Every structure is written in C-alpha cells, then in structure tokens.
Amino acid sequence: MLVDSHCHLDYFTEAEIEDVVGRARDAGVGLLVTIGTRFHQAATVKALAERFPDVWGTVGVHPHNAAEGEMPTVEQLVALADHPRVIGIGESGLDYFYDKAPRDVQQEGFRRHIRAARIAGLPLAIHARQADDDIADILERERAEGGPFDFLLHCFSSGRRLAERAVAIGGYVSLSGILTFPKSQEIRDIVADLPADRLLVETDSPYLAPVPFRGKRCEPGMVAHTARVLAEVRGLSIAETEALTTANFRRLFPKAG
C-alpha cells in the first residue's frame, strides 16, 4: 500500500472527485491526506475526509494566503483541528519565491501553526520555498523555546542544509513528483543520504505531475511513480519502498490509524 501524504482533493471539481479517489485506489494508494490552505476552507476538507474512509485531512493557512484576512490565533487553529478526521496542521510555512504575503506576516503565521501543532499534538505540514534559513531558524527556535513538535517538509525541493537541520530536530521529508524530474539530481542526491525512517511520498496534486506525466494534471494515484524513483535512489524494491513510506507515515500521523 502507498500513502499520498499531501494532496488537494478540493481543487478538483465535485464531478471529478469520486473518480480521482477511485483511480488512486486502483493504483494501490490506500490512504490520502487532503490539505488545508485557508481558514474558511476547513469545512470542505473535513467533509471530504468524512465522505471517504481512506481520506484524512489537515487544517491551516498556506503562506500564500497569510495576508488575505486576519490570521487565526493559535487557539483558533487548535479548535479547528479538533475533529476525528483531522490528522495534522497546515500547510503553513514560508514562500519567498512568490512573496504573496509580507514576510513578517508569513513568519508570524508559521509560528502560530507550530504552536498549534504542539498543543494539538498533531504534525505540521510545512511549505518551504526559497526560505531555507528562516524555516530552519524558526523551527529550531520554537523547539528550543517551546518544546518538541512533529513536522514534515512537504514537497521537498530545498537544499541539503535545511533537510539535515530538519531531520536533526525530528522532522520528516516528503517527496513529490519533483523527485522524478530530470533536473532534480541534487534532490535525489540529498534524499539518498537522509535517514530512511524520515521519508514519505506525496503528489501535491493537482500540481507537479511526475515523469512520465509532466505537463498533465497530477492525481493522487500518480504517487506510485514518485515511489518508484525513490526506490531507485535508495536501492530498494518497490515493495520495500511502499512498506517503508507507509510505516513512516503511520509513525508521523498516528491518528490515521
């Protein structure tokens, strides 16, 4: 069994969702996590997780959306996550590539999500783009000042230093279709050296379709292609990679059973 640890089912139309989930099942994807990006979107995430027994959800505010309205408080985020089908907080983090929200606003939102994840006892899904040093600094500072919390760097496309600093404080790294791109050798080299028990796979669908589907809309079922490349990078069989990434997912997201 494979797990798509990060997808956006609510970005598909209502008419498509049943077929998208069905194709994922046919591809051997046993669990999917649909991710929150806006505060008001949490109800949709929860409804999808309630609708499908193999779908779980997270709640949070994406850094792109951090300045759209008043940032929810830590207490509001914790309350939002108090639902039997919500297994994580996020996605949150920093994006200095698009800079759709002021950086200080993104940073404050990130800290609030970290604190909410710690209080709720749920892992945090982190979006990191061209902000490696600030991501690592905030993670390390929050851990030192407030205590440990679980997290993963989703859709990893950052540098070696961020991966190593994250793993050193207990973090996980999730690989998307980017791992399969011809120009991603640096990422493959980093992933080859990371601890095996910290690796997950995802699609981030409907974005970032893996090879051989580049240029097409991504779906959760395509996570198998990322897992295949991860197996090659780590020198594992497909079955071993499925077992490894699923075990890692269950350790990080114990609420998913």
Side-chain angles (χ1 to χ4, degrees):
M1 182 185 83
L2 280 167
V3 178
D4 183 355
S5 64
H6 192 113
C7 64
H8 299 276
L9 288 181
D10 58 321
Y11 290 13
F12 296 92
T13 68
E14 177 58 33
E16 295 171 327
I17 289 175
E18 291 280 351
D19 288 340
V20 168
V21 174
R23 284 191 289 270
R25 291 169 179 158
D26 291 343
V29 182
L31 293 174
L32 300 84
V33 184
T34 189
I35 303 295
T37 57
R38 288 178 166 90
F39 191 73
H40 62 74
Q41 172 233 12
T44 302
V45 167
K46 293 174 182 179
L48 285 167
E50 291 170 349
R51 178 174 166 185
F52 300 102
D54 43 359
V55 174
W56 301 83
T58 72
V59 293
V61 180
H62 193 288
H64 287 346
N65 311 120
E68 287 183 348
E70 186 173 350
M71 175 64 64
T73 66
V74 172
E75 293 74 19
Q76 286 174 318
L77 288 166
V78 171
L80 199 67
D82 186 15
H83 184 278
R85 302 294 296 179
V86 171
I87 61 171
I89 302 286
E91 65 185 283
S92 181
L94 304 176
D95 192 313
Y96 293 171
F97 179 78
Y98 286 108
D99 269 332
K100 290 189 175 182
R103 293 184 180 185
D104 61 332
V105 174
Q106 293 187 51
Q107 291 167 10
E108 175 58 24
F110 186 29
R111 293 187 184 94
R112 292 186 188 186
H113 281 74
I114 290 171
R115 294 165 189 173
R118 183 189 294 116
I119 293 169
L122 297 174
L124 174 65
I126 296 174
H127 174 104
R129 190 161 188 191
Q130 293 194 1
D132 287 17
D133 289 344
D134 283 354
I135 289 278
D137 288 347
I138 290 172
L139 288 172
E140 290 169 353
R141 188 175 304 117
E142 286 290 331
R143 187 177 190 274
E145 295 176 357
F149 52 91
D150 293 323
F151 68 92
L152 82 161
L153 301 175
H154 112 85
C155 191
F156 183 76
S157 60
S158 299
R160 179 178 293 272
R161 181 63 176 145
L162 175 58
E164 292 175 346
R165 291 173 72 179
V167 166
I169 59 172
Y172 289 69
V173 175
S174 181
L175 293 316
S176 71
I178 293 174
L179 186 72
T180 73
F181 296 175
K183 294 183 179 180
S184 294
Q185 187 58 49
E186 181 180 358
I187 296 173
R188 290 189 286 273
D189 291 342
I190 294 169
V191 169
D193 296 334
L194 294 177
D197 63 354
R198 303 295 180 86
L199 302 175
L200 282 73
V201 288
E202 64 170 88
T203 59
D204 202 18
S205 55
Y207 309 111
L208 301 172
V211 174
F213 300 103
R214 288 292 305 275
K216 298 182 179 180
R217 186 179 64 170
C218 189
E219 291 191 5
M222 295 178 185
V223 74
H225 297 274
T226 299
R228 175 184 55 79
V229 174
L230 178 60
E232 294 171 358
V233 169
R234 300 290 307 199
L236 301 172
S237 69
I238 297 296
E240 288 170 332
T241 302
E242 290 183 3
L244 172 70
T245 55
T246 298
N248 293 347
F249 172 83
R250 292 193 183 282
R251 189 183 317 109
L252 180 60
F253 293 95
K255 191 174 174 181

